[in-house]
Amino acid sequence: MFSIYDGLGTDGLIIASAIYNVFMHGDFRIAGFATVITYGIAMLLTFFLKEVRPAEKKDEHPFREFIVIFKQILKRKELFLFLIAIALFRECNQTITVFLNQL
């Protein structure tokens, strides 16, 4: 699920870069206006989403489940370091992408 989400995010970035270069020719005002329009359309589309309801309710508090999973992660140091590395990589990716898109 997350790989599909990440892949679609990358596809969107590539398509947006192509549209900016081909149609907008470096005009920041048009790019800003297009951003407002697309976010507005996305906002309107959210009104048509159906809410997904859980099949059954758990009596256990969700925080307890988080604590159990967190303890398991801490026991496996390589997994913990991997998660930290991925988080830092994603933050660097986001920062670089935003910076380069503003050039």
Side-chain angles (χ1 to χ4, degrees):
M1 179 63 107
F2 292 113
S3 61
I4 294 171
Y5 173 78
D6 191 42
L8 291 174
T10 302
D11 292 344
L13 176 64
I14 292 170
I15 292 169
S17 298
I19 289 173
Y20 179 75
N21 285 324
V22 173
F23 297 109
M24 297 180 191
H25 306 291
D27 189 354
F28 289 112
R29 289 178 187 248
I30 294 175
F33 182 69
T35 301
V36 169
I37 294 299
T38 55
Y39 275 84
I41 292 170
M43 181 198 68
L44 291 175
L45 289 175
T46 60
F47 291 120
F48 299 102
L49 292 175
K50 292 183 180 179
E51 184 175 350
V52 178
R53 299 189 189 273
E56 59 185 49
K57 270 196 161 181
K58 293 182 179 179
D59 292 334
E60 188 176 326
H61 196 275
F63 188 70
R64 288 184 187 149
E65 185 178 346
F66 172 76
I67 294 296
V68 169
I69 293 171
F70 190 70
K71 285 180 182 178
Q72 290 175 356
I73 291 171
L74 288 178
K75 288 179 184 177
R76 296 182 57 194
K77 299 293 183 196
E78 66 277 356
L79 180 61
F80 184 67
L81 292 174
F82 176 72
L83 290 175
I84 290 174
I86 292 297
L88 291 173
F89 176 76
R90 294 293 301 182
E91 286 302 314
C92 289
N93 181 23
Q94 175 68 19
T95 302
I96 291 168
T97 302
V98 170
F99 176 74
L100 291 179
N101 277 334
Q102 293 177 355
L103 291 180

